[in-house]
Amino acid sequence: MARRLLPLLLCLGALLLPARECLAELVVIANAKSGVERLGREEVVNIFLGRFRQLPSGMTALPADLPAGSAEKEAFYRLLVNKDLADINAYWARLVFSGRTSPPRQMRGEADLLRFVSETPGAVGYLERAHLDSRVRVVFEFSAER
Amino acid sequence: MKTLPLGKGHSILYIAAVAVVSSAIGVGLIFIGITAWVTHERAQQQTSQRLGELLGTVESTASIACFVEDQALARELARGLLKNSEALAVVIRSNSGELASARRSGVGEIALARAAEARIRRPIVSPFNSALTVGEILLDPDPEAVERTVIEEVRFIGILLWLLLAALVSVIAFVMLRQIVRPIQGLSLQLHRMDAAAGDRLAIGRVDPGAELGGLVADVNALADQLVASLDDERKLRIQREFDEKKYRAIFDNAETGIFIARRDGVVESRNPALARLFELPAYLSVDSAGISLLTLPWQQPSSLPELLARCVDENLTLAADLEFLHGDGNTRWLNVVLSPIGDERVQGVVSNVTERRQAEDSARHQAVTDPLTGIANRPGLEQQLQAEMQHCTSGSENGFAFLLIDLDGFKRINDALGLPVGDSILKAASSRILSCLKDSDIVARMGGDEFAAILPRIDDEALAASVGERIVRALRRSYDGHGTPIQLGASIGITLFPGDGADLPTLLRNAELALDRAKASGGGRFSFFDPAMAETAERRRTLETDMQLALRRNEFKLFLQPVVDLSGKRVVGAEALIRWQHHEKGLIVPDAFIPLAEETGLIVDIGLWCLEEACLRLAEWQREGRDLYLSLNISARQIPEGLPPAVVLDAVRRHGVDASRLVLEITEGVLLADVGRSQSWLRELRESGFRIYLDDFGTGYSSLSYLKRFPVDTVKIDKSFIRDLNRNENDRALVEAIIAMARSLRLQVVAEGVEDAEQLAQLRQMGCNYIQGYHFSMPVCSADFAAAAESIARSFLPENA
C-alpha cells in the first residue's frame, strides 16, 4: 500500500508544482507538414530523449530545445519525465560519448524555436501556449492529459 | 578381566593417543567437510552479491544504453564488467535484441556452461519510467573464483585443526604419562617388591591422595591389611586346631569306648585302640591299618550290622543297637553300636561293651515276669505268654490251646492258721506238682495268692484238657508237709479252650475265672470247663447288680414285716423286717435271688442303710401310734463292722426319735466267725447303746455254744429247717428242745421261725418256746397291712378261736 502510495503522492506534488509556477501552459508543437496530428506522451519522450529518430509519419524527427536556463525548458522536462535539467544533461553526456545519438538542437529562444518548427518539416518543439501561432501545429498538450 | 603383561599389550598411552588422534581426525574431516560446504555456499553467495553490487553501479548506464539501444555504449559497459575477476561472460540485451556480449578470453566451453548455471540476470528499466523494462544484463560468474576461495578457506581451517590436534595429543599424552602411566608403573614395581606380611605397604609417591589412584593405593593397602589379618587369624586357628587335634587324639586313643569311621560297606577307615580290644583284632594290625571290615567280624547275627549301616547312611539317621558278638573264649558279648552319618557314605561309630547292662536288663526282664517264690512265671509273664500263644494260633501254626486256672481250696485258712512260711512251702510244692503233671512246652504261672495258671499248647479238645485237669487235681490233693504235720488241701480248676472260649486275653481270663468259680461252687477238688451259660449267668449277675443300684434310686425295695407273736402274752410283740424287691420289669424278686449278690458286691451296705432308715420310720410311726412293738433287721456279715457302724445306727434312731430298745439287729453265726475281735466290739458297742441282738438261723452253722458265751446276744432264733420237720423228725425235735433248754439256762429268749401250723405251735408251746414267727400267724405283710395282720392275730387268741 505504502509502495503504491508513494509514487502517487510524488505525482501529485509534481503536478501541483508547475500548475502554480507556470500558469502559462506548455504545449508540444510540430511542423504543419510533418504529417503528425497528435503525439502520445511516450512518443514525445522517445523523440526528445533520442530513442526515436523518426516521427510516426516516417519523417525524420528533429526535436528542438529552448535555450539552457529557460524556465520553460526546465518545466518541460519536469513535466515530461520529472527530471531536472542536470539529469537530462548527464543523460545526454553519456549518449554523446557513443556518437550515435545527439541531443535536440538548441534554439535561441521561443521565437527562434517557432520559426525553426514552422520552417523545418520534421521539427518538433515546445513552448507556452500563449506564444503559439498558426504556423505550427500543437501535437501534445500536458493539460489535455489531466 | 584379562590383563596383559606390560610391554606386550598396547599401553594406555598408546591406546589413548590412537583414540584421540582417530577421533580428532574423524571430527576434523567432518568439520572440514562442513567448512568446505559452508564456505562454498558463502563464497558463491558473496560472489553473487559482489557481482550484483557491480551490476548496480552500471545499472543507470545500462538503462540508458538499453533505452536508446546504443550498442557502443552497451559494448563499453560489457567490457567494463569483464574487468571484474569474478565475471566470466556478460550479455546486454535490449527489448529488440542483443546490444553487446563479451566473454573472458581463453575460457573453455565447459567452464562457460558451468558459469551459465550460476548466471545472474538483471532486468533493466527505462531511465524515465521504472515500470518499463527496456532490457537485461546477463552476467556469468567465474566458478573457479569461488572454488579458489573455498580451497583457501579449507586449507586455512585444516592447518588450524591439525595444529589443534597436535597440541591436544601432546597435552593428553603428557598428562596421562605423568598422572596415570608413570604412577601405575611405579605402583606395579612397588607391588612386585612388596612383602605385605612384613608390614610393607604401597607408598603414595607422587600420586594425589584424593584422586582415583590414591584411592586405589589406599584400597590395596587396606586389602593387604585384611589379608595379613586373615592370615594371622588362620595361623592362630591352625595352632588351636592342632592343639585340639592333639587333645582329642589323646581322648580318642585312650578311650575305653571303641571309636571308628567306616564306609557304608563296613570297611573301617580309622579306629582307636579300644576298638581293636573290643573286637579282639590281632595285635599286629596297626591302628592306622585300613581294610578291616566290620561285617567279617564274628557277630551272632551277621545280617544286623549291614542293615544298620545301610539305614544310617541311606536315611541319614543316628542309630543305635545292641549286637551280640562272639568272643574268642566262646562266650558272647553284647556290644552297643551307635552309628552317626558323617556324609560321603561314611559313618562314625562308637562301640561299647554293654554285656553287664544287658545281663542286668535280661535279669530284670526275667524278674518282671517271674514269681520270686516259685520261680515260675507271674501274672504279667503269663499274660505275655498267653498273648504270644494266641498270636501263634491266629497265625495258623496251631489250632488252639487250653488254659487252666488252678486254685487251692482252703489255702487261706491254712495260711492264716499255720503262718506264712508253711503257706509258702505249700505254694512251692503245689507249683512243682503242677509242673510235674505237664510237658516241658507247657507254661505254668502263679497268678497271685494261691492261684496258678497253665497254658497247654496244642491241646484243643476237652478230653485231653480234662485228663490233664484230672491229673493236676489228683496231684494237688496229696497231702502237704506242714512242718511235720500233714496238711490236706484240694484244688479247683477252671479250664478254657482257645479260641472257642474266648478269642482275646481278657475274655479268656474271665471265662477261666468263671469256670474256676463253678468248680469251687461245686464243692472244690474238681475241674470245670467253661460253658457259655456261665458267661450268661455272670451277665445276669451284672445286670442284676446294675438293677439293684438303680432300684435304690427308684425306690423299688420294700420292707415287709412278719409279726412275732408272744404266746404267753397272746399278742404281737414285734416283727422281722424282710426286704422285697419290686422290680420295675421283672416284678417281685425274693431276697435269696439278690441278697447274696448284694453281699458279694458290697451293695448290701447301701441296701442295709436303706433298711435301717425304713425300719426307723416304721418304729417312729408305731411309737406315735402308741404301739409297743419292736422291729428286727437282718444284718449281713459284710455290713460288720464298717458297713454299718454303731454310730450310724445310733444316729438313725436318734434322728427318728426311736427308742434304741425297739430296734433289734439279727446276725448269723457266720458274722461271728469272720473277724472275732472286731465283731465282738461292734456287738458290744451296740448292745451298750441299748439295741438288742438276735442270733438268727441258730442251729444251721457251727452253733458253737462257746459263741453264745463269747458274744453278747439277747435272743436266739431257731432256724425254720428244724421247725419244718418238728412233727416228723425226732432228731429235730430233740435239737429244738435242747436249744430251748440251753437258751433258758443262759437266760436267752427263743424265737421259733417258720411255724406253719397249729401242731408245730402246740409242740413249741409245750417245749416252752414263747415267741413264734411264721405263716401260722401271718405271712410277711407290707407295712400298710401290718396293723390289720396284728389285729387278726390278736383275734385268733380270743376264747372262741383258741
Side-chain angles (χ1 to χ4, degrees):
Chain A
M1 201 56 188
R3 269 195 217 164
R4 285 191 183 177
L5 213 55
L6 192 66
L8 193 69
L9 288 170
L10 284 171
C11 257
L12 278 173
L15 290 172
L16 282 171
L17 201 64
R20 186 171 46 82
E21 278 186 9
C22 320
L23 289 171
E25 194 186 351
L26 280 178
V27 291
V28 177
I29 52 170
N31 187 281
K33 291 175 193 146
S34 63
V36 175
E37 290 294 322
R38 298 299 292 179
L39 286 173
R41 176 185 277 264
E42 282 304 310
E43 283 168 324
V44 176
V45 169
N46 288 341
I47 289 163
F48 274 90
L49 288 159
R51 198 174 187 204
F52 289 175
R53 288 174 201 89
Q54 285 177 334
L55 294 174
S57 56
M59 200 172 284
T60 302
L62 289 169
D65 254 338
L66 287 172
S70 81
E72 285 81 8
K73 185 177 180 180
E74 185 156 6
F76 175 74
Y77 282 105
R78 175 67 67 189
L79 280 172
L80 192 66
V81 292
N82 194 26
K83 304 250 184 230
D84 54 30
L85 287 177
D87 288 339
I88 299 299
N89 289 340
Y91 174 77
W92 282 115
R94 295 190 205 175
L95 281 175
V96 166
F97 165 77
S98 71
R100 207 181 133 252
T101 318
S102 43
R105 73 183 60 196
Q106 189 105 12
M107 298 294 129
R108 284 186 295 276
E110 282 190 340
D112 193 28
L113 187 133
L114 258 177
R115 185 189 52 78
F116 177 70
V117 171
S118 59
E119 286 170 1
T120 321
V124 183
Y126 57 87
L127 78 177
E128 273 195 61
R129 191 184 280 274
H131 302 140
L132 203 61
D133 70 20
S134 56
R135 293 176 292 175
V136 292
R137 184 184 291 166
V138 173
V139 290
F140 178 76
E141 297 165 279
F142 286 104
S143 58
E145 277 199 331
R146 254 177 242 174
Chain B
M1 200 172 120
K2 194 175 162 189
T3 51
L4 290 166
L6 214 63
K8 268 198 175 177
H10 298 294
S11 74
I12 296 175
L13 189 62
Y14 175 81
I15 292 166
V18 167
V20 169
V21 168
S22 54
S23 60
I25 287 173
V27 171
L29 286 177
I30 292 168
F31 195 71
I32 287 169
I34 292 170
T35 307
W37 182 72
V38 170
T39 309
H40 182 267
E41 287 298 303
R42 211 170 52 218
Q44 210 156 40
Q45 218 173 352
Q46 282 169 354
T47 303
S48 298
Q49 197 185 339
R50 275 198 298 275
L51 290 177
E53 282 164 9
L54 181 67
L55 286 176
T57 60
V58 299
E59 199 168 12
S60 59
T61 313
S63 163
I64 295 166
C66 288
F67 186 69
V68 294
E69 294 180 357
D70 189 332
Q71 287 179 342
L73 189 59
R75 227 175 359 256
E76 203 54 38
L77 203 57
R79 267 204 297 275
L81 284 172
L82 270 188
K83 294 251 167 50
N84 188 297
S85 63
E86 286 172 327
L88 201 66
V90 180
V91 176
I92 300 174
R93 278 196 200 137
S94 75
N95 283 352
S96 51
E98 190 177 292
L99 291 180
S101 108
R103 65 173 66 165
R104 195 175 297 279
S105 58
V107 176
E109 286 301 317
I110 299 162
L112 281 173
R114 272 180 62 204
E117 283 169 21
R119 172 171 292 169
I120 302 166
R121 185 185 296 269
R122 175 67 67 92
I124 303 297
V125 295
S126 153
F128 307 105
N129 185 357
S130 57
L132 183 68
T133 307
V134 290
E136 60 182 1
I137 301 176
L138 304 177
L139 181 67
D140 292 350
D142 185 0
E144 278 173 15
V146 172
E147 274 156 24
R148 269 195 307 279
T149 315
V150 170
I151 286 165
E152 264 168 38
E153 196 83 2
V154 165
R155 187 181 295 149
F156 179 69
I157 295 284
I159 287 166
L160 274 185
L161 271 177
W162 293 129
L163 283 175
L164 185 69
L165 183 64
L168 206 62
V169 169
S170 316
V171 168
I172 287 173
F174 177 74
V175 169
M176 283 188 71
L177 203 61
R178 193 184 158 80
Q179 294 295 318
I180 298 172
V181 176
R182 285 272 158 71
I184 285 179
Q185 281 173 343
L187 292 179
S188 171
L189 204 63
Q190 278 192 63
L191 272 174
H192 275 296
R193 292 180 190 149
M194 188 173 90
D195 180 2
D200 289 356
R201 293 293 181 270
L202 287 183
I204 197 92
R206 284 197 322 216
V207 175
D208 176 7
E212 292 87 342
L213 277 175
L216 182 66
V217 167
D219 288 347
V220 168
N221 284 339
L223 183 67
D225 287 347
Q226 239 173 354
L227 282 173
V228 169
S230 298
L231 280 170
D232 250 19
D233 290 349
E234 187 69 21
R235 202 174 57 240
K236 278 181 203 150
L237 272 176
R238 202 176 56 237
I239 292 165
Q240 181 65 39
R241 212 164 38 234
E242 278 166 11
F243 177 70
D244 286 351
E245 176 109 20
K246 263 182 231 158
K247 207 163 65 184
Y248 289 127
R249 187 81 217 176
I251 294 171
F252 181 75
D253 285 344
N254 299 327
E256 277 304 306
T257 310
I259 303 168
F260 65 87
I261 289 170
R263 297 202 310 246
R264 191 181 185 278
D265 61 6
V267 171
V268 174
E269 291 185 332
S270 173
R271 65 188 161 85
N272 68 347
L275 191 84
R277 287 197 295 278
L278 281 170
F279 285 152
E280 301 181 297
L281 297 175
Y284 57 81
L285 286 173
S286 80
V287 163
D288 295 324
S289 67
I292 302 159
S293 176
L294 293 171
L295 307 187
T296 57
L297 297 169
W299 299 104
Q300 182 79 0
Q301 288 198 311
S303 63
S304 305
L305 192 60
E307 281 170 20
L308 204 64
L309 272 167
R311 270 191 65 205
C312 177
V313 171
D314 298 344
E315 296 171 28
N316 197 29
L317 288 172
T318 294
L319 299 169
D322 288 351
L323 301 175
E324 214 171 358
F325 185 78
L326 289 169
H327 202 260
D329 60 12
N331 292 327
T332 61
R333 255 183 200 179
W334 279 100
L335 297 179
N336 177 258
V337 180
V338 181
L339 299 179
S340 307
I342 54 172
D344 195 23
E345 296 256 299
R346 272 156 179 77
V347 297
Q348 175 251 309
V350 177
V351 182
S352 49
N353 186 351
V354 293
T355 310
E356 281 178 20
R357 195 200 78 208
R358 284 294 293 215
Q359 281 167 353
E361 276 174 12
D362 284 350
S363 137
R365 205 173 296 129
H366 182 69
Q367 276 167 15
V369 295
T370 307
D371 176 48
L373 177 68
T374 57
I376 57 176
N378 61 6
R379 191 184 180 105
L382 176 96
E383 286 180 0
Q384 271 179 24
Q385 300 277 8
L386 258 183
Q387 286 285 20
E389 192 61 28
M390 284 176 175
Q391 210 110 50
H392 220 206
C393 291
T394 35
S395 66
S397 31
E398 281 176 34
N399 287 334
F401 62 89
F403 177 66
L404 279 63
L405 267 183
I406 306 157
D407 192 81
L408 300 181
D409 302 332
F411 174 80
K412 189 173 158 36
R413 187 167 41 83
I414 297 298
N415 208 28
D416 286 348
L418 301 176
L420 233 80
V422 177
D424 284 353
S425 71
I426 291 172
L427 288 173
K428 277 193 224 171
S431 78
S432 61
R433 285 187 204 179
I434 295 169
L435 280 169
S436 69
C437 297
L438 301 174
K439 289 186 285 189
D440 287 349
S441 57
D442 297 342
I443 295 147
V444 179
R446 182 175 166 222
M447 300 292 276
D450 59 336
E451 196 173 84
F452 294 88
I455 303 169
L456 316 179
R458 282 184 294 280
I459 297 207
D460 52 3
D461 74 297
E462 289 200 2
L464 275 170
S467 71
V468 175
E470 182 60 44
R471 231 179 12 244
I472 294 171
V473 166
R474 255 187 284 133
L476 293 176
R477 196 188 287 153
R478 292 203 313 271
S479 71
Y480 298 85
D481 174 33
H483 291 295
T485 28
I487 294 165
Q488 287 298 325
L489 282 175
S492 303
I493 301 178
I495 305 177
T496 46
L497 296 173
F498 179 86
D501 293 342
D504 59 84
L505 198 141
T507 312
L508 197 67
L509 272 173
R510 195 197 64 212
N511 290 346
E513 203 80 52
L514 289 172
L516 177 63
D517 287 348
R518 163 72 63 85
K520 276 176 170 302
S522 312
R526 69 190 66 201
F527 63 85
S528 184
F529 279 96
F530 168 77
D531 77 85
M534 291 178 191
E536 276 171 39
T537 310
E539 183 58 37
R540 262 205 308 279
R541 279 159 57 98
R542 236 194 329 279
T543 316
L544 194 61
E545 194 185 331
T546 323
D547 280 1
M548 265 194 287
Q549 281 165 344
L550 283 172
L552 272 171
R553 266 185 268 156
R554 289 174 180 162
N555 216 11
E556 288 179 355
F557 291 116
K558 298 282 178 276
L559 218 50
F560 273 52
L561 310 170
Q562 189 168 40
V564 176
V565 180
D566 174 13
L567 289 180
S568 54
K570 296 178 178 176
R571 67 180 192 93
V572 173
V573 288
E576 182 182 357
L578 295 162
I579 195 165
R580 293 288 183 273
W581 180 3
Q582 191 63 44
H583 194 279
H584 62 287
E585 279 170 0
K586 297 170 187 165
L588 195 68
I589 300 176
V590 293
D592 288 350
F594 66 90
I595 290 299
L597 182 63
E599 285 181 327
E600 240 176 81
T601 58
L603 208 60
I604 192 72
V605 171
D606 292 332
I607 295 173
L609 288 172
W610 178 84
C611 288
L612 174 67
E613 202 66 25
E614 203 60 16
C616 287
L617 272 173
R618 200 58 51 229
L619 281 170
E621 195 182 300
W622 288 342
Q623 230 166 283
R624 279 198 302 276
E625 290 168 2
R627 291 171 191 268
D628 178 22
L629 294 168
Y630 74 86
L631 193 55
S632 68
L633 274 177
N634 286 292
I635 307 300
S636 160
R638 281 295 303 268
Q639 289 172 269
I640 300 167
E642 284 90 1
L644 192 68
V648 171
V649 184
L650 209 57
D651 176 59
V653 293
R654 277 192 195 142
R655 268 192 289 115
H656 291 279
V658 172
D659 183 5
S661 64
R662 303 273 179 177
L663 186 64
V664 173
L665 305 171
E666 290 191 20
I667 57 170
T668 58
E669 285 171 313
V671 172
L672 306 174
L673 269 177
D675 188 339
V676 179
R678 294 173 71 187
S679 306
Q680 248 180 338
S681 57
W682 183 83
L683 269 179
R684 189 166 299 119
E685 210 173 315
L686 281 169
R687 277 198 90 214
E688 281 165 6
S689 302
F691 299 100
R692 281 182 288 161
I693 309 292
Y694 283 21
L695 195 58
D696 203 6
D697 301 344
F698 192 77
T700 54
Y702 290 92
S703 300
S704 165
L705 290 178
S706 69
Y707 286 141
L708 289 178
K709 206 181 116 203
R710 267 161 69 187
F711 294 111
V713 301
D714 301 283
T715 302
V716 293
K717 293 186 87 172
I718 304 171
D719 191 71
K720 50 180 167 263
S721 58
F722 301 110
I723 306 299
R724 190 173 56 230
D725 296 332
L726 200 60
N727 306 333
R728 296 181 290 278
N729 193 322
E730 277 297 317
N731 288 344
D732 281 356
R733 202 168 62 204
L735 253 170
V736 172
E737 263 188 319
I739 290 168
I740 293 168
M742 177 204 69
R744 188 178 296 141
S745 62
L746 287 172
R747 300 186 209 292
L748 297 174
Q749 298 283 353
V750 179
V751 176
E753 282 183 299
V755 177
E756 292 180 354
D757 53 39
E759 201 175 337
Q760 290 166 349
L761 181 67
Q763 285 201 353
L764 286 165
R765 191 197 294 267
Q766 196 194 338
M767 290 173 189
C769 176
N770 287 330
Y771 297 100
I772 303 297
Q773 181 187 345
Y775 284 6
H776 176 70
F777 286 114
S778 172
M779 292 172 50
V781 293
C782 67
S783 55
D785 295 342
F786 184 78
E791 223 161 284
S792 138
I793 292 165
R795 264 202 306 279
S796 71
F797 283 110
L798 292 176
E800 60 267 32
N801 293 330

